[in-house]
Every structure is written in C-alpha cells, then in structure tokens.
C-alpha cells in the first residue's frame, strides 16, 4: 500500500484481537510517528495493543515471534532503516524482511510490516504519519495485521469457508 495506490482502510471488527506492537527505537521522530499511527488504527478497529520496544529493526523478528507464540493474535513490526554508505542497510533490511515473513509463516499469525527502508530521512518523515506526512505506514501496517487476524478468526470459526 503506497501513495495513490493505497487501498482504503475499511473498518473491520477487531474486538477481541490482541496485537503486539513491536517497535524499533532507532530514529525517534520517525519511530514515534509510526507507533502513534499504529496505536490509533488498532484503537479505531476495536483491537487491543501492547507496545514492546526493541533497539532496532534487526531485533523485530525474534521479538515478534516470541509475542505471537505467547498468545497475541497479531504483531505489528515498526522500524526505520536509512541507507548509509556501507552495506549495513542491505543486511538489516533483508534480515528484518525475511525474518518477519518467516515469523508469519511459522506461527500462522499475521505480522503487519511497518518497517521503512529509506534512502534518506525525508522519505521517512513523509511516511510516518506525522503532521504534513503524505502517508501513515504505521496505521497501514496495523490495519493489515488486524484485518488479517479477523480473516483468520473467520476461517477458524468456519465463517470464511466456502462450499466446493
């Protein structure tokens, strides 16, 4: 979901859905914007959230996995990775992305992907849901996680099954 092509965040009934918001602490301004957007969206959908801070994006997968295994219905992973002059950006971006994908598949629970991989700080400010931002990636990631948890709940309850 990006820019003009982003789908509307329709209202889903997230009541009873417990969300772990695993929030990287690197880059305070952008990270705070992402977190506030995720929290607003989780509240709007009627789900409940617990924020679990981690140092940075590299730590997101292991903590998201532990949270989901402890009983949360969904996780929202929030982080900021800004390209620098070394290959560090590629390693951390790949580790976070691959790791979070694996967490979702291994646990069978949704992980909203709110990790910003940026060329510069301004791109993050534009996407962090701050006053004047063009996008709210924290809210988008939270919506994806809650909406997917609601879909999975429906499938488990038989509401999403179709006759063949």
């Amino acid at each position: 979901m990006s820019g003009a092509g982003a789908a509307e965040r329709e209202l889903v009934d997230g009541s009873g859905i417990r969300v772990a918001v695993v929030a990287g602490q690197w880059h305070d301004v952008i990270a705070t914007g992402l977190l506030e957007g995720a929290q607003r969206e989780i509240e709007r959908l009627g789900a409940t959230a617990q924020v679990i801070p981690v140092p940075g994006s590299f730590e997101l997968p292991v903590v998201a996995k532990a949270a989901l295994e402890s009983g949360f219905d969904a996780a929202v992973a929030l982080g900021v990775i800004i390209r620098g002059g070394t290959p560090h950006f590629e390693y951390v971006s790949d580790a976070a992305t691959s790791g979070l994908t694996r967490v979702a598949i291994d646990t069978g629970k949704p992980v909203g992907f709110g990790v910003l991989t940026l060329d510069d700080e301004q791109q993050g400010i534009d996407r962090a849901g701050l006053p004047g931002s063009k996008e709210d990636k924290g809210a988008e990631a939270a919506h994806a996680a809650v909406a997917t948890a609601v879909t999975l709940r429906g499938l488990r309850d038989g509401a999403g099954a179709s006759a063949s």
Side-chain angles (χ1 to χ4, degrees), residues 19-118:
V19 182
V21 181
V22 185
Q25 302 300 292
W26 191 81
H27 201 295
D28 188 51
V29 172
I30 298 171
T32 298
L34 291 171
L35 178 58
E36 289 174 352
Q39 290 175 306
R40 280 192 306 271
E41 186 67 6
I42 291 166
E43 182 178 326
R44 183 180 83 90
L45 299 176
T48 58
Q50 179 178 332
V51 177
I52 305 168
V54 297
S57 295
F58 190 81
E59 294 78 23
L60 294 170
V62 69
V63 175
K65 184 172 191 275
L68 292 171
E69 288 176 342
S70 77
F72 284 92
D73 301 299
V76 177
L78 305 174
V80 179
I81 309 169
I82 300 177
R83 186 180 305 277
T86 68
H88 181 76
F89 173 86
E90 282 80 12
Y91 299 136
V92 175
S93 297
D94 180 61
T97 303
S98 299
L100 291 167
T101 300
R102 183 173 159 198
V103 167
I105 292 168
D106 288 353
T107 63
K109 295 181 180 183
V111 177
F113 189 78
V115 179
L116 301 184
T117 54
L118 310 166

Side-chain angles (χ1 to χ4, degrees), residues 148-161:
T148 303
V150 169
T151 298
L152 291 171
R153 177 173 61 191
L155 290 170
R156 282 191 303 273
D157 295 345

